[in-house]
Structure formats: structure tokens, C-alpha cells
Amino acid sequence: MNSRTFAIIKPDAVKNKHTGLIYDRIIKADFKILSSKLIKMSKKEAEHFYLVHKDRSFYDELTDFMSSGQCMVLALDKNNAVEEWRKLIGATNPEEAKEGTIRKAFATSLGENAVHGSDSNENAMIEIKFFFKESELI
Ligand code: CMP
């Protein structure tokens, strides 16, 4: 059954001109892009989006980075979308990411790891709603 996931092409990947190459992988992997937009998060928005990590040592570094430049947010649809997107992007730490994954190709470090993906269907719904109105999902 088709389901949704939420993705971000992070500021490092946008700045390094990898947006088009990552889009190509999304399309070739048969995800339907329900909506996407280029945004720049404020520090407050980044703090709110990553609130679940607020007690982690990297929270400040993470939210500084995510609000440091443009990023592309996407709502994606596919059969088993959360798991399929996580498979395509690879491990959070690019040193552990498998060949052929987006992070293996484009991530430079654990913090600047090119893309984000929701970790559950429940969080996918929350994260999509954070950036998109239902009427924007085509
Ligand atoms: P993401 O999938 O966006 O979800 C949370 C992010 O926190 C994660 O990708 C990493 O980029 C980041 N992260 C996780 N662990 C660390 C760490 N030890 N130092 C810096 N950033 C981290």
C-alpha cells in the first residue's frame, strides 16, 4: 500500500549543487513527489523540527547547520515509503553508508549528511504537516 515519507535535501547538499542529482535518484527510485519547496529554516524552526533531539549534545550544532542555508523539503509517496527512502539514503553516518546510497555519494560527515528521512509513518505525517498544507500535496 502506498504511504508517505518526508525528506530534506540539507543545506550542505544544496550548497554543493547536488539537488538535481538527488532529485534524479528520487525519481528513478519510483517515488512520487507530492510536493517540494526550497526554504531556509530559521534557527527557531530548526529547533522546533528537531525538538526530539533537544537533550542531545549535537542539538545546537544540528539546528545551527539546518538553519545555515537553503534546503529542499519534500513529501514523497511510494509503497512502504519510510523504509524505501531510508534504504535509498543509507546510514546516518556516511562512513557506514553502503555503496549506491545517497549519503555514500553526497554526505561529508555525520552532521552534514546531505539528506533527512522520517524514521516512522507517524513521524512522517508529523514532519510533512510541519512544512506542507494538505492542499499542497498533489
Ligand atoms: P537526520 O536524519 O536529519 O536526523 C537527526 C540528525 O542529527 C541526523 O540526521 C544527523 O545529521 C544529526 N546527528 C546525529 N548524530 C550527530 C552527532 N553525533 N553530531 C552531529 N550531528 C548528529
Side-chain angles (χ1 to χ4, degrees):
M1 208 182 83
N2 274 32
S3 57
R4 292 173 175 180
T5 194
F6 174 74
I8 305 178
I9 302 176
K10 294 188 179 186
D12 58 320
V14 173
K15 196 168 147 205
N16 293 330
K17 301 186 168 61
H18 293 145
T19 305
L21 293 169
I22 294 172
Y23 253 73
D24 191 53
R25 290 186 183 223
I26 292 170
I27 292 162
K28 290 207 170 110
D30 285 331
F31 284 93
K32 185 176 168 202
I33 299 173
L34 300 175
S35 202
S36 74
K37 58 188 169 190
L38 190 64
I39 62 159
K40 184 176 183 298
M41 280 187 231
S42 66
K43 172 82 171 167
K44 276 215 159 5
E45 273 177 310
E47 284 172 350
H48 188 184
F49 182 76
Y50 280 112
L51 204 57
V52 62
H53 296 305
K54 74 173 185 324
D55 297 326
R56 310 290 288 273
S57 59
F58 57 82
Y59 183 61
D60 198 42
E61 182 191 328
L62 172 64
T63 54
D64 270 351
F65 168 61
M66 290 303 292
S67 58
S68 68
Q70 292 176 318
C71 60
M72 186 72 75
V73 289
L74 304 102
L76 303 176
D77 176 283
K78 192 181 178 174
N79 189 10
N80 208 9
V82 167
E83 204 182 316
E84 288 296 306
W85 176 241
R86 289 178 75 81
K87 234 192 283 173
L88 187 67
I89 65 179
T92 306
N93 185 345
E95 283 177 20
E96 291 160 17
K98 289 190 184 142
E99 279 307 327
T101 62
I102 291 175
R103 283 176 172 151
K104 181 72 181 178
F106 303 117
T108 48
S109 67
L110 179 55
E112 304 201 1
N113 62 353
V115 284
H116 165 81
S118 308
D119 62 4
S120 66
N121 287 332
E122 192 193 359
N123 283 336
M125 294 304 119
I126 293 168
E127 293 177 356
I128 288 171
K129 212 170 163 187
F130 192 91
F131 290 103
F132 296 102
K133 294 184 203 133
E134 190 59 37
S135 61
E136 291 178 300
L137 306 173
I138 304 159

